Structure formats: C-alpha cells, structure tokens
C-alpha cells in the first residue's frame, strides 16, 4: 500500500495512526472484493483509497488555516 506521509504533529502518534488507517482501508477493500480477488487489483484499490483519503484530508485541513491537521480529517472521513 502507498506510504502515508504526514507533516510532524507532536500530539499524534503518526505511526500508530498510519497503521490504523492502512489496516482499515485494507479490511474494507478485501471485504468488498472477496477472497478470490486479484492481488494486483486489490493493492491498486487500496492505494487509490489511501491516496483519496489523504488528498481529502489535506484539502480540508487547508481550509481551516492550519487549525486542524490532515490526520484529523482523514480519520473523520474514514469513520463517518
């Protein structure tokens, strides 16, 4: 899966957050595609999902003038 890169945020454990987001995306994609899904297709969809979430989180954070970090929005979108 695509590596998730965040700006440094001292109050957030980025490694744990990255694993949580990655695990959740992987679980959702594999549940949707089933056990017989092509591995390359599964990985491509996981990467696309992660990139889309990161783009959305960064865009939302940009509209808050730095009041919130992208991780906050990614988690909010993911757990909506």
């Amino acid at each position: 899966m695509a590596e998730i890169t965040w700006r440094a945020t001292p109050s957030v454990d980025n490694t744990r957050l990255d694993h949580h987001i990655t695990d959740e995306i992987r679980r959702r994609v594999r549940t949707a595609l089933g056990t017989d899904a092509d591995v390359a297709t599964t990985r491509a969809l996981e990467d696309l999902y992660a990139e889309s979430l990161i783009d959305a989180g960064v865009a939302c954070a940009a509209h808050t003038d730095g009041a919130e970090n992208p991780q906050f929005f990614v988690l909010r979108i993911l757990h909506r």
Side-chain angles (χ1 to χ4, degrees), residues 5-16:
T5 306
W6 307 103
R7 70 178 184 205
T9 306
S11 64
V12 177
D13 180 355
N14 289 331
T15 302
R16 194 176 83 205

Side-chain angles (χ1 to χ4, degrees), residues 13-80:
D13 180 355
N14 289 331
T15 302
R16 194 176 83 205
L17 181 63
D18 292 350
H19 287 293
H20 171 73
I21 292 168
T22 302
D23 291 345
E24 182 63 18
I25 289 170
R26 185 169 286 129
R27 184 192 66 76
R28 289 179 184 198
V29 169
R30 291 182 181 180
T31 298
L33 295 179
T35 56
D36 296 334
D38 177 63
V39 175
T41 300
T42 301
R43 288 188 56 86
L45 286 173
E46 289 171 355
D47 289 345
L48 182 62
Y49 197 153
E51 291 167 11
S52 297
L53 275 174
I54 292 167
D55 287 347
V58 169
C60 289
H63 290 330
T64 65
D65 296 324
E68 296 289 349
N69 61 40
Q71 297 99 320
F72 170 81
F73 290 105
V74 168
L75 287 173
R76 193 163 181 201
I77 294 166
L78 190 64
H79 293 294
R80 197 160 183 215

